[in-house]
C-alpha cells in the first residue's frame, strides 16, 4: 500500500481553502454555536477533510 502524503501544492491549497471556507460559512449560517470551542473543532476537522478531498481531486504525477 502506498503511503499517503499530505503536502499540498498551490492549486490543492487553493481548492482546500475554497472548500473549507464554503463549508464553514454555510454551517455558521445554519448552526448557532453556543460554545465557540465546538466551532473551532468543527473548523479544524473540516479543514483536514477538505485537504484530503483536494489532494484526491488534484493528484500529483508522482
Amino acid at each position: 500500500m502506498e503511503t499517503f502524503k499530505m503536502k499540498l501544492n498551490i492549486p490543492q491549497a487553493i481548492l482546500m481553502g475554497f472548500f473549507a471556507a464554503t463549508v464553514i460559512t454555510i454551517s455558521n449560517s445554519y448552526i448557532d454555536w453556543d460554545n465557540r470551542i465546538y466551532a473551532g473543532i468543527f473548523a479544524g476537522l473540516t479543514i483536514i477533510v477538505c485537504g484530503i478531498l483536494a489532494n484526491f481531486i488534484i493528484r500529483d504525477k508522482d
Side-chain angles (χ1 to χ4, degrees):
M1 184 174 186
E2 185 177 307
T3 59
F4 184 74
K5 68 173 188 163
M6 221 17 230
K7 186 174 181 181
L8 301 176
N9 56 24
I10 293 173
Q12 289 172 338
I14 292 170
L15 185 63
M16 178 195 72
F18 174 75
F19 283 156
T22 303
V23 170
I24 292 169
T25 301
I26 291 172
S27 68
N28 280 339
S29 66
Y30 285 119
I31 300 171
D32 184 25
W33 299 102
D34 291 334
N35 195 348
R36 297 305 294 172
I37 190 73
Y38 297 132
I41 292 171
F42 177 76
L45 292 175
T46 302
I47 290 172
I48 291 170
V49 169
C50 289
I52 292 170
L53 184 64
N55 197 1
F56 179 74
I57 291 174
I58 303 175
R59 295 188 182 165
D60 289 333
K61 298 292 183 185
D62 294 322

